[in-house]
Amino acid sequence: MEYSFFDLLRLIGSLALFLYGMKIMSEGLQKLAGDSLRKILTAMTKNRVTGVLTGMLITALIQSSSATTVMVVSFVNAGLLTLTQSIGVIMGANIGTTVTAWIISALGFKIDISAFALPLLALALPLFFSGKSSRKSVGEFIFGFSFLFMGLEGLKANAPDLSANPDMLAFVQNYTDMGFFSILLFLFIGTALTMIVQASAATMAITLIMCANGWIDYHLGVALVLGENIGTTITANLAALTGNIQARRAALAHLMFNVFGVCWVLVVFYPFTAGVSWFVENVMHVSDPSVAVSFKLAAFHTAFNISNTCIMIWFVGLIEKTVCAFIKGKPKDEEYRLRFITGGMLSTAELSILQAQKEIVLFAERTARMFNMVKSLLYEKNVDTFTKTYSRIEKYENISDRMEVEIANYLTQVSEGRLSSESKEEIRVMLRAVSEIESIADSCNNLARTLKRRNEFKSSFTPEQNEHVERMFSLVGEALERMNIIFHKSELTHNDINVSYNIENEINNYRNQLKARNIEDINNKRYQYQDGVYYMDIVSESEKLGDYVVNVVEALIDKRI
């Protein structure tokens, strides 16, 4: 008994090694592709066909349909892809994921790839510890590839020998000869198993081993494969739970696409599987039964997903309408919450940075709107209007505090992932920018508070003071506008920062002039001392705000030059 429990642990350990290899391999490739992956996804999804090809290509590259669909859901969440585009990419991802089964069938069952695993690790070691991030990513990919096949070999070696345990074989066979009901049962088992393991490739490997060892026949293996197709959609749906409406719709479209595919294949189950079987035996000429069954499953997986995509590509509009009917939009659904980043990690570490960038741009735009509200308070005499605007500024300040914390927490979470050195530097810069933008919001709130106190104490500014404050506000507004322009620019030069420095110098010089002038004016009794205090509070706070703006610009330009 002790031995069989230990055997079970070794089996689970082999599965863990397989999954870990899959994860490292996928992450290594994603880091290697980095920005290119984002560019491919956004550029190549102009129509349905290129969308399908893109999904196929990326999934075949990163060897994880879950990673692709989660990426797609996060891109929809970030507004980079439309729902229609995402459906095409998801269809392609389903075809791309079938490459894994072919690799396992060709290498895992025909060639003893695990014999090469250790020499491969030796070759990858110097790359893994390389200072250059691209080499390091290649090293990680080779490490993942080796672990994947070591795990697969472990799964094959530690799978229980059913011939030595006839009772166990009898237990399995109780459920294998119930006709079509057995197929439905194994379909549910495949779904449940993939939901638990969260990787259809691992379930596929287990299915291939079960068929190769003769525990279950080809038809039941196909049923497990169909179940895996449904089970794999759970990852994207879990990721979308915290996403916005469009992200949840994209995830539901993935589920609908796969469920519909499984339904029509069940209707033509026996002719379809027979056709695939004929193709492997007569076209591919694979005769060894234990190897043939793994190729049949791989061929079925590919044929099913290609057929399903060819049928469903004509109904993208209908899928979109259906998911929109299921998940209805709410008015002002997300006015005061993060728009692009959601509660959980939606994407892989490397690609999450894009979402954070878009959120920071939104944060910067929000503080610029906040400053415009402050400007409107300067001459506001109506108490109700003043109070209403002031409470909006306070609300914006609370939101900005929350945004800073949430974005910073998200970036910290992202930085715990496996990142390239460029991405680590990018996160450092983004954290600095977020902190400075929050300080801008604080300054806006301080300015509004000073104007409120001025009104409460019935203090007023002279026309000359108003003119000076207006001029100061105009310079600060210019600095904020410039900052937001820089956020939207893809290419930056040193000239971009020079413009911001010039505005900042102008603000500093103007503050110094007004400070000296204020002392003279109070001495000459042009206005009350208390009026001068409020006036200089506004001038000094505006100058501080200008400093924060320059700090944000410096952070952005340091990163890009």
Side-chain angles (χ1 to χ4, degrees):
M1 186 68 201
E2 193 183 337
Y3 171 76
S4 62
F5 177 67
F6 187 65
D7 217 25
L8 177 70
L9 286 182
R10 285 206 309 205
L11 187 69
I12 295 167
S14 302
L15 179 64
L17 191 61
F18 181 91
L19 286 172
Y20 183 62
M22 197 90 206
K23 184 174 180 288
I24 295 184
M25 190 169 130
S26 178
E27 282 178 357
L29 277 164
Q30 284 172 66
K31 277 197 272 182
L32 198 60
D35 274 339
S36 325
L37 213 53
R38 300 175 202 168
K39 285 172 189 159
I40 290 169
L41 252 182
T42 44
M44 281 184 61
T45 49
K46 299 289 178 259
N47 64 50
R48 294 174 197 183
V49 178
T50 54
V52 169
L53 291 172
T54 307
M56 206 165 104
L57 174 79
I58 288 176
T59 309
L61 272 176
I62 63 176
Q63 285 295 293
S64 171
S65 62
S66 296
T68 307
T69 49
V70 167
M71 200 194 300
V72 168
V73 166
S74 61
F75 275 30
V76 172
N77 193 56
L80 290 170
L81 290 180
T82 64
L83 186 58
T84 313
Q85 287 171 330
S86 74
I87 294 169
V89 179
I90 285 167
M91 287 177 176
N94 277 7
I95 299 172
T97 194
T98 65
V99 173
T100 315
W102 285 104
I103 293 170
I104 293 171
S105 299
L107 301 180
F109 288 91
K110 268 195 161 181
I111 305 159
D112 184 11
I113 199 83
S114 62
F116 299 102
L118 289 172
L120 274 175
L121 288 177
L123 290 172
L125 194 65
L127 294 172
F128 192 74
F129 290 106
S130 167
K132 197 175 176 192
S133 59
S134 59
R135 282 199 209 110
K136 196 180 172 97
S137 301
V138 172
E140 282 180 20
F141 167 74
I142 298 170
F143 260 64
F145 184 78
S146 303
F147 287 158
L148 186 134
F149 282 100
M150 283 161 80
L152 184 67
E153 190 56 36
L155 280 171
K156 286 197 288 186
N158 295 302
D161 180 7
L162 292 187
S163 57
N165 298 289
D167 302 345
M168 202 171 177
L169 187 63
F171 174 76
V172 172
Q173 282 175 341
N174 283 343
Y175 300 98
T176 57
D177 49 10
M178 293 186 292
F180 203 71
F181 181 75
S182 288
I183 285 161
L184 293 177
L185 177 70
F186 275 76
L187 188 142
F188 286 115
I189 292 169
T191 305
L193 200 58
T194 310
M195 280 168 141
I196 295 162
V197 179
Q198 291 275 301
S200 57
T203 327
M204 189 72 189
I206 293 166
T207 307
L208 292 172
I209 288 163
M210 284 171 81
C211 287
N213 286 356
W215 300 5
I216 55 172
D217 66 11
Y218 161 58
H219 289 107
L220 295 181
V222 165
L224 281 175
V225 170
L226 289 174
E228 286 151 23
N229 273 279
I230 297 173
T232 194
T233 63
I234 203 72
T235 317
N237 277 283
L238 287 173
L241 283 177
T242 52
N244 61 20
I245 281 176
Q246 291 296 80
R248 293 203 294 279
R249 283 172 176 166
L252 181 63
H254 187 205
L255 178 65
M256 271 183 62
F257 170 74
N258 284 18
V259 169
F260 174 82
V262 168
C263 290
W264 73 254
V265 160
L266 286 174
V267 174
V268 292
F269 187 80
Y270 290 108
F272 196 91
T273 49
V276 171
S277 193
W278 176 87
F279 177 82
V280 172
E281 286 167 6
N282 297 292
V283 178
M284 291 176 66
H285 302 295
V286 182
S287 53
D288 180 358
S290 62
V291 176
V293 76
S294 62
F295 276 108
K296 282 178 187 176
L297 289 176
F300 171 82
H301 197 196
T302 306
F304 161 65
N305 278 303
I306 291 175
S307 309
N308 198 25
T309 300
C310 291
I311 294 167
M312 297 296 277
I313 200 163
W314 305 104
F315 301 102
V316 169
L318 182 66
I319 295 171
E320 190 175 359
K321 281 179 192 150
T322 312
V323 293
C324 290
F326 273 112
I327 301 172
K328 291 185 171 68
K330 296 181 190 129
K332 289 190 178 175
D333 176 51
E334 287 129 355
E335 190 187 352
Y336 290 122
R337 53 170 284 191
L338 296 184
R339 195 181 299 170
F340 304 121
I341 294 173
T342 48
M345 277 282 282
L346 250 184
S347 190
T348 48
E350 201 73 24
L351 292 148
S352 306
I353 293 172
L354 191 74
Q355 281 169 265
Q357 279 172 344
K358 289 183 82 72
E359 199 65 69
I360 293 168
V361 171
L362 192 73
F363 191 12
E365 285 167 359
R366 202 166 261 175
T367 53
R369 281 205 299 278
M370 195 175 171
F371 182 70
N372 288 332
M373 287 181 221
V374 173
K375 280 161 71 176
S376 72
L377 292 181
L378 186 60
Y379 297 120
E380 190 54 70
K381 295 283 181 272
N382 183 305
V383 178
D384 286 345
T385 311
F386 187 99
T387 310
K388 203 173 175 183
T389 308
Y390 180 76
S391 55
R392 269 192 83 196
I393 291 168
E394 278 195 316
K395 193 176 180 182
Y396 262 61
E397 160 58 11
N398 289 332
I399 292 161
S400 74
D401 284 345
R402 283 205 310 275
M403 280 183 87
E404 182 198 17
V405 171
E406 286 183 37
I407 296 171
N409 285 347
Y410 183 78
L411 286 171
T412 308
Q413 203 181 343
V414 171
S415 65
E416 285 166 5
R418 306 165 72 84
L419 287 171
S420 59
S421 50
E422 292 87 350
S423 296
K424 281 178 186 160
E425 177 59 22
E426 206 163 325
I427 286 178
R428 192 188 61 75
V429 167
M430 285 158 86
L431 284 167
R432 182 183 165 198
V434 167
S435 168
E436 298 293 348
I437 293 168
E438 204 284 321
S439 299
I440 295 171
D442 285 343
S443 276
C444 290
N445 196 41
N446 293 342
L447 286 168
R449 203 181 292 130
T450 304
L451 289 167
K452 183 172 179 262
R453 279 208 307 274
R454 179 199 71 170
N455 290 5
E456 282 170 354
F457 286 98
K458 305 282 187 289
S459 177
S460 62
F461 293 163
T462 64
E464 204 175 18
Q465 280 177 310
N466 279 330
E467 206 178 293
H468 294 153
V469 171
E470 263 185 49
R471 170 80 184 126
M472 184 57 102
F473 278 3
S474 165
L475 286 168
V476 172
E478 209 181 315
L480 277 166
E481 192 184 335
R482 187 75 206 147
M483 177 186 84
N484 280 315
I485 288 169
I486 285 169
F487 261 117
H488 288 283
K489 275 186 139 186
S490 53
E491 294 292 323
L492 290 174
T493 62
H494 284 291
N495 194 42
D496 287 296
I497 200 165
N498 292 341
V499 177
S500 291
Y501 277 149
N502 292 342
I503 300 169
E504 167 60 10
N505 288 335
E506 218 175 320
I507 292 171
N508 288 349
N509 294 337
Y510 198 53
R511 188 269 319 260
N512 295 340
Q513 282 174 36
L514 295 180
K515 206 172 179 181
R517 180 86 170 270
N518 178 57
I519 295 163
E520 277 178 41
D521 287 348
I522 288 172
N523 287 339
N524 295 334
K525 305 275 191 296
R526 292 207 178 170
Y527 43 76
Q528 295 291 322
Y529 179 79
Q530 192 57 45
D531 298 343
V533 169
Y534 295 133
Y535 168 60
M536 278 322 293
D537 279 354
I538 287 171
V539 169
S540 301
E541 196 60 60
S542 299
E543 191 277 326
K544 270 192 208 166
L545 203 157
D547 286 343
Y548 298 138
V549 170
V550 163
N551 291 346
V552 174
V553 172
E554 274 181 347
L556 291 173
I557 290 187
D558 280 353
K559 182 188 82 178
R560 301 209 205 151
I561 294 181

